Amino acid sequence: KLSPNVTDIVSIAKACEDAGADGISLINTMLGMRIDLKTKKPVIAMCHLRPLPGDPHFNESAGITDIVKKAHCDIDTLQHENIQGILFSNEFSYPYSQKLPQLSVACMARIIGELKHRITVPFGVDCMYDGISTIDLALATDADFCRITLSPASVTEYELGLTEMGNILRHE
């Protein structure tokens, strides 16, 4: 398992590969994440949206209404557990792409818009590996925060993920 808390993770990963490693495990370190030490519950919880229209695994027979229903159930459950924030993400839109299709961003905005009246805690958004769409979605939905992957590259069980860090940091 590689830690991101090093000056050059690439050289360490390369050394592992050169030494014959069969695989490498990476993890995102969430330096700003708060844990309620009394309850041992995360302060910010995830609402993983099911595959969206246009995604390879989208359930056309159930449609977007089913995604809204499941997200509605998720946020009600999460808020019942006294979490202090919710992060909406398209985690099930794999394999991910560096540029999320406009249809996916529009569907995420619709889902959040339909649920917004039920959200009683601050909420944030994340369009997996697409920081610019994340910022735009946050503005469109009046999100309180967003999560953006800023590492130049990442490796998951699904793919090699690359980000456009320079463009994301310049996007307003």
PDB file of all heavy atoms in Angstrom, residues 123-152:
ATOM      1  N   PHE A 123     -24.463  20.138   1.915  1.00  0.00           N
ATOM      2  CA  PHE A 123     -24.175  19.065   0.967  1.00  0.00           C
ATOM      3  C   PHE A 123     -23.128  19.522  -0.041  1.00  0.00           C
ATOM      4  O   PHE A 123     -22.950  20.706  -0.289  1.00  0.00           O
ATOM      5  CB  PHE A 123     -25.440  18.579   0.248  1.00  0.00           C
ATOM      6  CG  PHE A 123     -25.942  19.508  -0.824  1.00  0.00           C
ATOM      7  CD1 PHE A 123     -25.542  19.352  -2.147  1.00  0.00           C
ATOM      8  CD2 PHE A 123     -26.805  20.534  -0.518  1.00  0.00           C
ATOM      9  CE1 PHE A 123     -25.992  20.210  -3.133  1.00  0.00           C
ATOM     10  CE2 PHE A 123     -27.268  21.396  -1.486  1.00  0.00           C
ATOM     11  CZ  PHE A 123     -26.860  21.240  -2.803  1.00  0.00           C
ATOM     12  N   GLY A 124     -22.449  18.526  -0.586  1.00  0.00           N
ATOM     13  CA  GLY A 124     -21.433  18.784  -1.592  1.00  0.00           C
ATOM     14  C   GLY A 124     -21.598  17.848  -2.768  1.00  0.00           C
ATOM     15  O   GLY A 124     -22.449  16.951  -2.749  1.00  0.00           O
ATOM     16  N   VAL A 125     -20.787  18.070  -3.802  1.00  0.00           N
ATOM     17  CA  VAL A 125     -20.873  17.269  -5.021  1.00  0.00           C
ATOM     18  C   VAL A 125     -19.489  16.844  -5.482  1.00  0.00           C
ATOM     19  O   VAL A 125     -18.488  17.474  -5.145  1.00  0.00           O
ATOM     20  CB  VAL A 125     -21.577  18.045  -6.160  1.00  0.00           C
ATOM     21  CG1 VAL A 125     -23.019  18.359  -5.782  1.00  0.00           C
ATOM     22  CG2 VAL A 125     -20.840  19.329  -6.516  1.00  0.00           C
ATOM     23  N   ASP A 126     -19.457  15.770  -6.265  1.00  0.00           N
ATOM     24  CA  ASP A 126     -18.224  15.291  -6.879  1.00  0.00           C
ATOM     25  C   ASP A 126     -18.583  14.573  -8.166  1.00  0.00           C
ATOM     26  O   ASP A 126     -19.342  13.607  -8.144  1.00  0.00           O
ATOM     27  CB  ASP A 126     -17.494  14.335  -5.947  1.00  0.00           C
ATOM     28  CG  ASP A 126     -16.229  13.746  -6.561  1.00  0.00           C
ATOM     29  OD1 ASP A 126     -15.667  14.367  -7.495  1.00  0.00           O
ATOM     30  OD2 ASP A 126     -15.798  12.676  -6.109  1.00  0.00           O
ATOM     31  N   CYS A 127     -18.077  15.047  -9.291  1.00  0.00           N
ATOM     32  CA  CYS A 127     -18.166  14.353 -10.579  1.00  0.00           C
ATOM     33  C   CYS A 127     -16.832  13.639 -10.731  1.00  0.00           C
ATOM     34  O   CYS A 127     -15.810  14.274 -10.982  1.00  0.00           O
ATOM     35  CB  CYS A 127     -18.382  15.343 -11.724  1.00  0.00           C
ATOM     36  SG  CYS A 127     -19.912  16.286 -11.617  1.00  0.00           S
ATOM     37  N   MET A 128     -16.826  12.345 -10.554  1.00  0.00           N
ATOM     38  CA  MET A 128     -15.590  11.570 -10.492  1.00  0.00           C
ATOM     39  C   MET A 128     -14.611  11.937 -11.607  1.00  0.00           C
ATOM     40  O   MET A 128     -14.941  11.862 -12.783  1.00  0.00           O
ATOM     41  CB  MET A 128     -15.907  10.078 -10.552  1.00  0.00           C
ATOM     42  CG  MET A 128     -16.701   9.573  -9.363  1.00  0.00           C
ATOM     43  SD  MET A 128     -15.830   9.712  -7.791  1.00  0.00           S
ATOM     44  CE  MET A 128     -14.494   8.566  -8.042  1.00  0.00           C
ATOM     45  N   TYR A 129     -13.398  12.329 -11.221  1.00  0.00           N
ATOM     46  CA  TYR A 129     -12.275  12.664 -12.097  1.00  0.00           C
ATOM     47  C   TYR A 129     -12.516  13.861 -13.017  1.00  0.00           C
ATOM     48  O   TYR A 129     -11.737  14.100 -13.921  1.00  0.00           O
ATOM     49  CB  TYR A 129     -11.833  11.455 -12.944  1.00  0.00           C
ATOM     50  CG  TYR A 129     -11.232  10.371 -12.104  1.00  0.00           C
ATOM     51  CD1 TYR A 129     -11.930   9.204 -11.859  1.00  0.00           C
ATOM     52  CD2 TYR A 129      -9.979  10.527 -11.536  1.00  0.00           C
ATOM     53  CE1 TYR A 129     -11.390   8.201 -11.070  1.00  0.00           C
ATOM     54  CE2 TYR A 129      -9.422   9.541 -10.748  1.00  0.00           C
ATOM     55  CZ  TYR A 129     -10.135   8.380 -10.518  1.00  0.00           C
ATOM     56  OH  TYR A 129      -9.597   7.399  -9.740  1.00  0.00           O
ATOM     57  N   ASP A 130     -13.605  14.596 -12.819  1.00  0.00           N
ATOM     58  CA  ASP A 130     -13.890  15.765 -13.658  1.00  0.00           C
ATOM     59  C   ASP A 130     -14.117  16.971 -12.752  1.00  0.00           C
ATOM     60  O   ASP A 130     -15.243  17.294 -12.382  1.00  0.00           O
ATOM     61  CB  ASP A 130     -15.104  15.503 -14.547  1.00  0.00           C
ATOM     62  CG  ASP A 130     -15.364  16.612 -15.551  1.00  0.00           C
ATOM     63  OD1 ASP A 130     -14.753  17.697 -15.420  1.00  0.00           O
ATOM     64  OD2 ASP A 130     -16.190  16.404 -16.459  1.00  0.00           O
ATOM     65  N   GLY A 131     -13.023  17.616 -12.398  1.00  0.00           N
ATOM     66  CA  GLY A 131     -13.089  18.750 -11.474  1.00  0.00           C
ATOM     67  C   GLY A 131     -13.861  19.935 -12.019  1.00  0.00           C
ATOM     68  O   GLY A 131     -14.562  20.622 -11.272  1.00  0.00           O
ATOM     69  N   ILE A 132     -13.759  20.191 -13.312  1.00  0.00           N
ATOM     70  CA  ILE A 132     -14.460  21.339 -13.889  1.00  0.00           C
ATOM     71  C   ILE A 132     -15.971  21.123 -13.817  1.00  0.00           C
ATOM     72  O   ILE A 132     -16.720  22.015 -13.409  1.00  0.00           O
ATOM     73  CB  ILE A 132     -13.965  21.607 -15.325  1.00  0.00           C
ATOM     74  CG1 ILE A 132     -12.518  22.117 -15.252  1.00  0.00           C
ATOM     75  CG2 ILE A 132     -14.867  22.598 -16.047  1.00  0.00           C
ATOM     76  CD1 ILE A 132     -11.826  22.267 -16.585  1.00  0.00           C
ATOM     77  N   SER A 133     -16.443  19.915 -14.170  1.00  0.00           N
ATOM     78  CA  SER A 133     -17.875  19.624 -14.047  1.00  0.00           C
ATOM     79  C   SER A 133     -18.316  19.658 -12.591  1.00  0.00           C
ATOM     80  O   SER A 133     -19.440  20.060 -12.285  1.00  0.00           O
ATOM     81  CB  SER A 133     -18.206  18.260 -14.672  1.00  0.00           C
ATOM     82  OG  SER A 133     -18.054  18.314 -16.073  1.00  0.00           O
ATOM     83  N   THR A 134     -17.431  19.251 -11.671  1.00  0.00           N
ATOM     84  CA  THR A 134     -17.760  19.308 -10.241  1.00  0.00           C
ATOM     85  C   THR A 134     -18.008  20.746  -9.814  1.00  0.00           C
ATOM     86  O   THR A 134     -18.989  21.033  -9.126  1.00  0.00           O
ATOM     87  CB  THR A 134     -16.621  18.685  -9.401  1.00  0.00           C
ATOM     88  OG1 THR A 134     -16.494  17.301  -9.753  1.00  0.00           O
ATOM     89  CG2 THR A 134     -16.905  18.810  -7.916  1.00  0.00           C
ATOM     90  N   ILE A 135     -17.124  21.641 -10.219  1.00  0.00           N
ATOM     91  CA  ILE A 135     -17.290  23.060  -9.862  1.00  0.00           C
ATOM     92  C   ILE A 135     -18.586  23.600 -10.457  1.00  0.00           C
ATOM     93  O   ILE A 135     -19.369  24.277  -9.771  1.00  0.00           O
ATOM     94  CB  ILE A 135     -16.078  23.883 -10.335  1.00  0.00           C
ATOM     95  CG1 ILE A 135     -14.829  23.471  -9.547  1.00  0.00           C
ATOM     96  CG2 ILE A 135     -16.342  25.383 -10.192  1.00  0.00           C
ATOM     97  CD1 ILE A 135     -13.526  24.001 -10.123  1.00  0.00           C
ATOM     98  N   ASP A 136     -18.843  23.293 -11.727  1.00  0.00           N
ATOM     99  CA  ASP A 136     -20.067  23.767 -12.377  1.00  0.00           C
ATOM    100  C   ASP A 136     -21.314  23.204 -11.695  1.00  0.00           C
ATOM    101  O   ASP A 136     -22.298  23.927 -11.482  1.00  0.00           O
ATOM    102  CB  ASP A 136     -20.058  23.401 -13.858  1.00  0.00           C
ATOM    103  CG  ASP A 136     -18.989  24.154 -14.642  1.00  0.00           C
ATOM    104  OD1 ASP A 136     -18.447  25.154 -14.125  1.00  0.00           O
ATOM    105  OD2 ASP A 136     -18.698  23.726 -15.776  1.00  0.00           O
ATOM    106  N   LEU A 137     -21.291  21.927 -11.344  1.00  0.00           N
ATOM    107  CA  LEU A 137     -22.430  21.306 -10.661  1.00  0.00           C
ATOM    108  C   LEU A 137     -22.646  21.933  -9.285  1.00  0.00           C
ATOM    109  O   LEU A 137     -23.785  22.169  -8.874  1.00  0.00           O
ATOM    110  CB  LEU A 137     -22.226  19.793 -10.543  1.00  0.00           C
ATOM    111  CG  LEU A 137     -23.341  19.010  -9.851  1.00  0.00           C
ATOM    112  CD1 LEU A 137     -24.660  19.134 -10.624  1.00  0.00           C
ATOM    113  CD2 LEU A 137     -22.937  17.537  -9.713  1.00  0.00           C
ATOM    114  N   ALA A 138     -21.552  22.207  -8.593  1.00  0.00           N
ATOM    115  CA  ALA A 138     -21.664  22.852  -7.275  1.00  0.00           C
ATOM    116  C   ALA A 138     -22.343  24.211  -7.398  1.00  0.00           C
ATOM    117  O   ALA A 138     -23.214  24.558  -6.591  1.00  0.00           O
ATOM    118  CB  ALA A 138     -20.278  22.997  -6.640  1.00  0.00           C
ATOM    119  N   LEU A 139     -21.966  24.979  -8.408  1.00  0.00           N
ATOM    120  CA  LEU A 139     -22.598  26.287  -8.618  1.00  0.00           C
ATOM    121  C   LEU A 139     -24.061  26.141  -9.006  1.00  0.00           C
ATOM    122  O   LEU A 139     -24.920  26.880  -8.520  1.00  0.00           O
ATOM    123  CB  LEU A 139     -21.833  27.078  -9.680  1.00  0.00           C
ATOM    124  CG  LEU A 139     -20.439  27.548  -9.266  1.00  0.00           C
ATOM    125  CD1 LEU A 139     -19.681  28.111 -10.461  1.00  0.00           C
ATOM    126  CD2 LEU A 139     -20.531  28.580  -8.156  1.00  0.00           C
ATOM    127  N   ALA A 140     -24.374  25.188  -9.880  1.00  0.00           N
ATOM    128  CA  ALA A 140     -25.743  25.000 -10.364  1.00  0.00           C
ATOM    129  C   ALA A 140     -26.697  24.545  -9.266  1.00  0.00           C
ATOM    130  O   ALA A 140     -27.887  24.868  -9.295  1.00  0.00           O
ATOM    131  CB  ALA A 140     -25.764  24.000 -11.513  1.00  0.00           C
ATOM    132  N   THR A 141     -26.189  23.810  -8.281  1.00  0.00           N
ATOM    133  CA  THR A 141     -27.050  23.256  -7.239  1.00  0.00           C
ATOM    134  C   THR A 141     -26.932  23.997  -5.905  1.00  0.00           C
ATOM    135  O   THR A 141     -27.546  23.597  -4.927  1.00  0.00           O
ATOM    136  CB  THR A 141     -26.711  21.772  -6.990  1.00  0.00           C
ATOM    137  OG1 THR A 141     -25.341  21.652  -6.600  1.00  0.00           O
ATOM    138  CG2 THR A 141     -26.980  20.929  -8.231  1.00  0.00           C
ATOM    139  N   ASP A 142     -26.137  25.057  -5.882  1.00  0.00           N
ATOM    140  CA  ASP A 142     -25.872  25.794  -4.637  1.00  0.00           C
ATOM    141  C   ASP A 142     -25.269  24.893  -3.565  1.00  0.00           C
ATOM    142  O   ASP A 142     -25.602  25.005  -2.379  1.00  0.00           O
ATOM    143  CB  ASP A 142     -27.136  26.471  -4.097  1.00  0.00           C
ATOM    144  CG  ASP A 142     -27.586  27.627  -4.952  1.00  0.00           C
ATOM    145  OD1 ASP A 142     -26.717  28.349  -5.483  1.00  0.00           O
ATOM    146  OD2 ASP A 142     -28.813  27.815  -5.103  1.00  0.00           O
ATOM    147  N   ALA A 143     -24.376  24.000  -3.987  1.00  0.00           N
ATOM    148  CA  ALA A 143     -23.720  23.100  -3.029  1.00  0.00           C
ATOM    149  C   ALA A 143     -22.856  23.902  -2.064  1.00  0.00           C
ATOM    150  O   ALA A 143     -22.350  24.969  -2.393  1.00  0.00           O
ATOM    151  CB  ALA A 143     -22.864  22.075  -3.774  1.00  0.00           C
ATOM    152  N   ASP A 144     -22.701  23.362  -0.871  1.00  0.00           N
ATOM    153  CA  ASP A 144     -21.895  24.016   0.159  1.00  0.00           C
ATOM    154  C   ASP A 144     -20.408  23.708   0.012  1.00  0.00           C
ATOM    155  O   ASP A 144     -19.568  24.441   0.511  1.00  0.00           O
ATOM    156  CB  ASP A 144     -22.373  23.559   1.550  1.00  0.00           C
ATOM    157  CG  ASP A 144     -23.821  23.956   1.786  1.00  0.00           C
ATOM    158  OD1 ASP A 144     -24.095  25.173   1.872  1.00  0.00           O
ATOM    159  OD2 ASP A 144     -24.675  23.050   1.866  1.00  0.00           O
ATOM    160  N   PHE A 145     -20.071  22.604  -0.653  1.00  0.00           N
ATOM    161  CA  PHE A 145     -18.674  22.222  -0.844  1.00  0.00           C
ATOM    162  C   PHE A 145     -18.587  21.243  -1.997  1.00  0.00           C
ATOM    163  O   PHE A 145     -19.614  20.786  -2.521  1.00  0.00           O
ATOM    164  CB  PHE A 145     -18.080  21.601   0.433  1.00  0.00           C
ATOM    165  CG  PHE A 145     -18.801  20.373   0.907  1.00  0.00           C
ATOM    166  CD1 PHE A 145     -18.362  19.108   0.538  1.00  0.00           C
ATOM    167  CD2 PHE A 145     -19.896  20.471   1.755  1.00  0.00           C
ATOM    168  CE1 PHE A 145     -19.022  17.976   0.981  1.00  0.00           C
ATOM    169  CE2 PHE A 145     -20.566  19.336   2.203  1.00  0.00           C
ATOM    170  CZ  PHE A 145     -20.122  18.087   1.819  1.00  0.00           C
ATOM    171  N   CYS A 146     -17.377  20.955  -2.430  1.00  0.00           N
ATOM    172  CA  CYS A 146     -17.184  19.946  -3.462  1.00  0.00           C
ATOM    173  C   CYS A 146     -15.902  19.169  -3.172  1.00  0.00           C
ATOM    174  O   CYS A 146     -15.052  19.628  -2.417  1.00  0.00           O
ATOM    175  CB  CYS A 146     -17.156  20.551  -4.858  1.00  0.00           C
ATOM    176  SG  CYS A 146     -15.918  21.811  -5.136  1.00  0.00           S
ATOM    177  N   ARG A 147     -15.820  17.986  -3.756  1.00  0.00           N
ATOM    178  CA  ARG A 147     -14.628  17.145  -3.650  1.00  0.00           C
ATOM    179  C   ARG A 147     -14.071  16.984  -5.055  1.00  0.00           C
ATOM    180  O   ARG A 147     -14.786  16.610  -5.980  1.00  0.00           O
ATOM    181  CB  ARG A 147     -14.976  15.766  -3.075  1.00  0.00           C
ATOM    182  CG  ARG A 147     -13.773  14.833  -3.004  1.00  0.00           C
ATOM    183  CD  ARG A 147     -14.151  13.476  -2.457  1.00  0.00           C
ATOM    184  NE  ARG A 147     -14.834  12.674  -3.471  1.00  0.00           N
ATOM    185  CZ  ARG A 147     -15.161  11.394  -3.316  1.00  0.00           C
ATOM    186  NH1 ARG A 147     -14.895  10.777  -2.184  1.00  0.00           N
ATOM    187  NH2 ARG A 147     -15.778  10.732  -4.265  1.00  0.00           N
ATOM    188  N   ILE A 148     -12.796  17.277  -5.204  1.00  0.00           N
ATOM    189  CA  ILE A 148     -12.151  17.186  -6.507  1.00  0.00           C
ATOM    190  C   ILE A 148     -10.850  16.419  -6.359  1.00  0.00           C
ATOM    191  O   ILE A 148     -10.074  16.677  -5.441  1.00  0.00           O
ATOM    192  CB  ILE A 148     -11.868  18.594  -7.084  1.00  0.00           C
ATOM    193  CG1 ILE A 148     -13.168  19.372  -7.268  1.00  0.00           C
ATOM    194  CG2 ILE A 148     -11.086  18.501  -8.381  1.00  0.00           C
ATOM    195  CD1 ILE A 148     -12.957  20.816  -7.698  1.00  0.00           C
ATOM    196  N   THR A 149     -10.604  15.487  -7.264  1.00  0.00           N
ATOM    197  CA  THR A 149      -9.335  14.767  -7.294  1.00  0.00           C
ATOM    198  C   THR A 149      -8.314  15.651  -7.989  1.00  0.00           C
ATOM    199  O   THR A 149      -8.485  15.987  -9.152  1.00  0.00           O
ATOM    200  CB  THR A 149      -9.483  13.433  -8.048  1.00  0.00           C
ATOM    201  OG1 THR A 149     -10.501  12.663  -7.417  1.00  0.00           O
ATOM    202  CG2 THR A 149      -8.170  12.666  -8.072  1.00  0.00           C
ATOM    203  N   LEU A 150      -7.269  16.041  -7.275  1.00  0.00           N
ATOM    204  CA  LEU A 150      -6.249  16.916  -7.837  1.00  0.00           C
ATOM    205  C   LEU A 150      -4.927  16.214  -8.081  1.00  0.00           C
ATOM    206  O   LEU A 150      -3.991  16.827  -8.561  1.00  0.00           O
ATOM    207  CB  LEU A 150      -6.027  18.138  -6.938  1.00  0.00           C
ATOM    208  CG  LEU A 150      -7.160  19.158  -6.930  1.00  0.00           C
ATOM    209  CD1 LEU A 150      -6.864  20.275  -5.945  1.00  0.00           C
ATOM    210  CD2 LEU A 150      -7.398  19.724  -8.319  1.00  0.00           C
ATOM    211  N   SER A 151      -4.843  14.934  -7.765  1.00  0.00           N
ATOM    212  CA  SER A 151      -3.588  14.239  -8.072  1.00  0.00           C
ATOM    213  C   SER A 151      -3.498  14.091  -9.586  1.00  0.00           C
ATOM    214  O   SER A 151      -4.504  13.872 -10.250  1.00  0.00           O
ATOM    215  CB  SER A 151      -3.554  12.880  -7.382  1.00  0.00           C
ATOM    216  OG  SER A 151      -4.596  12.064  -7.862  1.00  0.00           O
ATOM    217  N   PRO A 152      -2.300  14.226 -10.149  1.00  0.00           N
ATOM    218  CA  PRO A 152      -2.161  14.146 -11.606  1.00  0.00           C
ATOM    219  C   PRO A 152      -2.645  12.822 -12.187  1.00  0.00           C
ATOM    220  O   PRO A 152      -3.156  12.776 -13.283  1.00  0.00           O
ATOM    221  CB  PRO A 152      -0.664  14.327 -11.843  1.00  0.00           C
ATOM    222  CG  PRO A 152      -0.150  14.951 -10.602  1.00  0.00           C
ATOM    223  CD  PRO A 152      -1.041  14.503  -9.486  1.00  0.00           C
TER     224      PRO A 152
END
